[in-house]
């Protein structure tokens, strides 16, 4: 397949490049890939795009969105080779979905607020997927999502039918109760019970975060960043004072930690 080099390319060129890479005489690596072999790549590229969004770096975001688009084209090309569907089908399907789920724009539906739009979206989604019970709606939350994100989605969907705490105080009270139950499981030294209670505690923390309108995944990410920064300060203090961290007591390291906390 001949390909003409240009100064500027379009989506049609990207599709042609992928066909060339996957075709006879194309790239050996690209030709041997499957959906499963590049599955992780799709996840990683998506997270890199999210990181670019968080950084506010528009040039980086432009690049990372291209990488995500490449994954879409890559997977689509594999199916096109099997005469299953092509990129046009993917575009057609998402256009139809957007039209169906925006009846206030493309039909005679009504939605004056973002909240009403989301409510309509979920109702239409349930109808189009043939979900007749709320359990099916909960089960439809992908298991491969990060657990905190999945927990928040499951809780939100359960709350839509009234299965929810009346307020954050009640959610917070149950979270404290889960801490006590985990403490008891630890005392029993039962691995299975500890695993169960730790999961319950994390799930209850997500409930509190949801009531406070805080994304638990984002909050934990920020906590990781804070820990790494504070750890770097501790490491610097230890180095300046000739302290060998691996050979130091936890009491000494905790003292450095509190000092680093004050410096913040």
């Amino acid at each position: 397949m001949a390909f003409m080099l240009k100064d500027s390319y379009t989506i049609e060129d990207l599709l042609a490049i992928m066909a060339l890479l996957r075709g006879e005489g194309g790239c050996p690596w690209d030709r041997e890939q499957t959906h499963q072999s590049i599955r992780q790549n799709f996840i990683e590229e998506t997270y890199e795009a999210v990181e670019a969004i968080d950084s506010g770096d528009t040039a980086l975001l432009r690049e990372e969105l291209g990488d995500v688009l490449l994954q879409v084209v890559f997977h689509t090309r594999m199916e096109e080779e099997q005469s299953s569907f092509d990129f046009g089908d993917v575009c057609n399907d998402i256009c139809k979905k957007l039209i169906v789920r925006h009846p206030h724009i493309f039909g005679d539906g009504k939605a004056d607020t973002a909240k009403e739009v989301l409510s309509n979206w979920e109702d239409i989604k349930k109808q189009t997927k043939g979900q007749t019970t709320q359990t099916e709606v909960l089960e439809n939350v992908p298991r491969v999502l990060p657990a905190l994100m999945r927990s928040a989605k499951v809780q939100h969907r359960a709350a839509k039918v009234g299965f929810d705490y009346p307020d954050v105080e009640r959610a917070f009270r149950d979270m404290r109760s889960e801490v006590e139950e985990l403490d008891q499981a630890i005392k029993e030294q039962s691995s299975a019970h500890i695993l169960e209670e730790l999961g319950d505690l994390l799930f209850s923390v997500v409930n509190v975060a949801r009531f406070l309108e805080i994304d638990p995944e984002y909050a934990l990410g920020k906590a990781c960043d804070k820990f790494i920064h504070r750890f770097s300060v501790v490491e610097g203090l230890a180095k300046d004072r000739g302290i060998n961290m691996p050979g130091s007591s936890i009491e000494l390291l905790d003292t450095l930690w509190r000092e680093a906390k004050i410096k913040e």
Side-chain angles (χ1 to χ4, degrees):
M1 179 188 296
F3 185 82
M4 182 180 298
L5 299 181
K6 306 177 182 179
D7 292 328
S8 180
Y9 300 96
T10 66
I11 184 62
E12 286 76 19
D13 293 315
L14 177 58
L15 295 173
I17 289 172
M18 181 52 63
L20 179 63
L21 294 175
R22 291 275 298 178
E24 191 70 31
C27 172
W29 184 87
D30 289 281
R31 282 171 52 82
E32 70 180 25
Q33 299 312 306
T34 65
H35 288 307
Q36 284 297 322
S37 70
I38 61 170
R39 172 183 178 276
Q40 188 65 28
N41 300 54
F42 208 151
I43 296 172
E44 292 173 1
E45 297 296 358
T46 302
Y47 275 111
E48 288 177 12
V50 172
E51 187 171 32
I53 291 172
D54 291 343
S55 72
D57 187 333
T58 54
L60 180 60
L61 177 58
R62 174 178 171 175
E63 176 186 350
E64 298 300 343
L65 288 176
D67 290 341
V68 172
L69 180 58
L70 171 61
Q71 292 298 311
V72 174
V73 169
F74 209 147
H75 284 279
T76 302
R77 179 62 193 179
M78 293 178 194
E79 291 302 316
E80 185 174 0
E81 292 165 0
Q82 303 301 318
S83 299
S84 175
F85 60 79
D86 60 20
F87 190 75
D89 295 321
V90 173
C91 292
N92 176 66
D93 291 351
I94 189 58
C95 286
K96 286 183 175 179
K97 179 185 291 186
L98 288 172
I99 292 169
V100 168
R101 295 192 185 178
H102 289 81
H104 55 292
I105 301 296
F106 302 102
D108 56 3
K110 188 177 186 305
D112 296 325
T113 67
K115 185 176 181 179
E116 290 176 335
V117 170
L118 291 177
S119 179
N120 290 344
W121 178 284
E122 292 298 330
D123 290 340
I124 296 170
K125 182 178 180 180
K126 184 177 179 179
Q127 294 170 12
T128 56
K129 289 184 176 292
Q131 297 165 344
T132 58
T133 69
Q134 197 64 15
T135 298
E136 290 177 314
V137 175
L138 302 187
E139 291 173 340
N140 190 247
V141 178
R143 295 178 62 86
V144 295
L145 283 176
L148 290 177
M149 187 183 299
R150 183 185 177 209
S151 298
K153 282 184 171 292
V154 166
Q155 292 173 9
H156 175 74
R157 293 186 181 187
K160 284 181 68 67
V161 292
F163 198 80
D164 202 3
Y165 293 106
D167 49 50
V168 67
E169 286 76 16
R170 177 64 182 276
F172 196 76
R173 189 191 318 155
D174 274 11
M175 185 184 73
R176 289 197 296 266
S177 175
E178 295 296 349
V179 171
E180 295 171 0
E181 291 180 17
L182 175 60
D183 181 54
Q184 182 60 38
I186 293 173
K187 291 175 181 177
E188 294 172 1
Q189 297 184 340
S190 169
S191 298
H193 194 195
I194 290 172
L195 175 63
E196 177 185 356
E197 295 301 341
L198 181 59
D200 289 346
L201 174 58
L202 292 172
F203 196 79
S204 67
V205 169
V206 173
N207 255 320
V208 173
R210 182 170 54 84
F211 267 95
L212 297 175
E213 297 184 351
I214 292 175
D215 178 357
E217 194 79 30
Y218 181 74
L220 185 56
K222 296 289 286 185
C224 287
D225 292 339
K226 183 172 69 174
F227 175 85
I228 293 171
H229 172 71
R230 193 174 294 172
F231 182 89
S232 71
V233 175
V234 170
E235 193 171 38
L237 291 172
K239 181 179 180 180
D240 292 343
R241 298 171 189 178
I243 297 173
N244 178 34
M245 289 183 64
S248 300
S249 67
I250 187 60
E251 289 77 17
L252 175 57
L253 295 178
D254 188 54
T255 298
L256 295 179
W257 181 267
R258 290 196 300 271
E259 186 175 339
K261 188 175 181 179
I262 292 172
K263 286 179 176 293
E264 291 182 347

